Amino acid sequence: MKIAIFGKPFDDEAAPAIQALLDDLAARRAEVRIGEAFRTFLDNRLRLPAGTTEFHRGDSLRGVQFVLSIGGDGTLLDTVTYVGSLQIPILGIHTGRLGFLATITPDRITQAIDALFKGHFTIEERSLIRVDTDPDVFGSLNFGLNEFSVLKRDTSSMIVVHTYIDGEYLNSYWADGLVVATPTGSTGYSLSCGGPVMLPQTNNFIIAPVCPHNLNVRPLVVSDQSVISFEIEGRSSSYMLALDSRSLPVEASVQIAVRREAFNARLVKLNHVNFLSTLRSKLNWGLDRRNPAGIQV
């Protein structure tokens, strides 16, 4: 089996579990490829399987069966950009802080790898958001798993985001910005803006203003078959565009449209993990003394 590993630096306490992972892959004679920067981090800390190779941004991962993302949710968002349209299943191993997407904790790594090799898992399809701009801003990495945001610069006054759905005028948002989130991103930035939580299989986008000046403006759920376009006004001549963890300043004249990407991200889910259990765990739902003792959070 060919396995690629993309990761970010982790604390010393996670090192034994990651070493056990690498030893397990070596014992199973897996062909292992590791992202360049992560391999540099691992080289002086852990023993790598014999024959391990590295990959760089832009290298094709064609032929790889699974990609392991070691870090937090931000690491998994980056991993999606390496996989792209190949749609290789991604298993998120959580050594970060929150773990909505990277759900496998270090103490469960051995069971997770065993499940991969035995086929005891399911694949969860997650829709992506695509951003088209003129002139081009994000290049070939113009897709994201969580959200796209239009934001004011740090020192500028609020902006006005004129928003259109399939060419029809929706609203002008006087705000610090606007977020368009996927169902996966509904538990991220959009949630902090008052947006609803959506199940991963929901075929929708959330449009949520950031700190709106008009308090009667609320987040809106629209079909992900729609094309959402924007015109921006403000006292500043530039503003920020953000796509997941990537952000760039752009001139106000840039034309922007977002839509659903033609391909999905595919996340590996093990039998003991599902979105509802993750919601209860990460958002502390159910921590109420009135709930029956037998109901697990």
Side-chain angles (χ1 to χ4, degrees):
M1 182 179 289
K2 295 182 180 181
I3 294 197
I5 301 176
F6 179 80
K8 298 290 177 66
F10 47 78
D11 295 335
D12 290 342
E13 62 185 30
I18 304 305
Q19 183 63 69
L21 162 66
L22 297 172
D23 292 343
D24 193 0
L25 294 177
R28 296 175 186 270
R29 300 182 181 275
E31 184 178 327
V32 178
R33 301 182 65 185
I34 301 178
E36 177 189 21
F38 192 48
R39 176 167 182 167
T40 300
F41 171 78
L42 295 176
D43 268 337
N44 299 323
R45 293 170 175 82
L46 303 179
R47 300 182 308 276
L48 302 182
T52 296
T53 59
E54 63 183 43
F55 64 91
H56 308 76
R57 169 74 71 186
D59 290 351
S60 175
L61 295 178
R62 191 174 301 278
V64 169
Q65 276 87 31
F66 296 98
V67 178
L68 307 184
S69 172
I70 299 177
D73 288 350
T75 307
L76 196 143
L77 295 179
D78 284 345
T79 304
V80 169
T81 66
Y82 279 82
V83 172
S85 60
L86 293 177
Q87 299 187 103
I88 302 168
I90 300 169
L91 177 68
I93 296 174
H94 173 55
T95 60
R97 287 170 292 184
L98 189 57
F100 255 106
L101 299 173
T103 55
I104 303 302
T105 53
D107 60 302
R108 289 185 175 269
I109 289 177
T110 300
Q111 299 95 309
I113 297 303
D114 191 54
L116 283 189
F117 277 81
K118 291 181 177 178
H120 297 167
F121 60 87
T122 58
I123 297 294
E124 197 168 75
E125 301 280 348
R126 297 292 184 102
S127 61
L128 302 171
I129 190 168
R130 173 189 175 94
V131 182
D132 294 306
T133 61
D134 185 15
D136 187 25
V137 173
F138 293 105
S140 61
L141 299 181
N142 63 337
F143 58 91
L145 179 58
N146 264 8
E147 73 272 313
F148 167 73
S149 307
V150 182
L151 303 166
K152 72 171 189 175
R153 300 292 295 272
D154 292 340
T155 58
S156 68
S157 59
M158 74 174 67
I159 58 177
V160 186
V161 186
H162 304 294
T163 305
Y164 302 82
I165 298 178
D166 294 328
E168 294 188 11
Y169 176 66
L170 168 65
N171 189 29
S172 294
Y173 294 92
W174 294 72
D176 284 357
L178 195 70
V179 177
V180 182
T182 66
T184 299
S186 71
T187 55
Y189 195 4
S190 172
L191 185 64
S192 71
C193 296
V197 174
M198 294 197 297
L199 298 182
Q201 297 78 21
T202 308
N203 298 318
N204 292 306
F205 288 136
I206 301 168
I207 301 175
V210 180
C211 299
H213 187 260
N214 305 102
L215 296 183
N216 60 340
V217 175
R218 291 292 182 263
L220 178 69
V221 176
V222 302
S223 168
D224 65 8
Q225 299 304 303
S226 302
V227 176
I228 308 169
S229 54
F230 310 98
E231 295 175 358
I232 316 300
E233 282 186 47
R235 294 180 182 175
S236 175
S237 62
S238 64
Y239 51 90
M240 297 294 296
L241 298 187
L243 185 55
D244 284 351
S245 57
R246 309 181 297 282
S247 61
L248 293 167
V250 297
E251 296 301 316
S253 58
V254 170
Q255 299 180 39
I256 311 163
V258 301
R259 69 193 74 208
R260 179 170 176 164
E261 182 55 274
F263 53 87
N264 294 334
R266 308 182 75 207
L267 304 187
V268 175
K269 293 298 177 184
L270 305 186
N271 292 334
H272 68 281
V273 177
N274 61 61
F275 181 75
L276 299 182
S277 65
T278 301
L279 272 184
R280 292 193 301 271
S281 172
K282 303 303 177 182
L283 298 182
N284 293 325
W285 287 5
L287 293 182
D288 191 316
R289 64 188 301 174
R290 295 169 298 180
N291 286 338
I295 295 181
Q296 296 183 355
V297 175

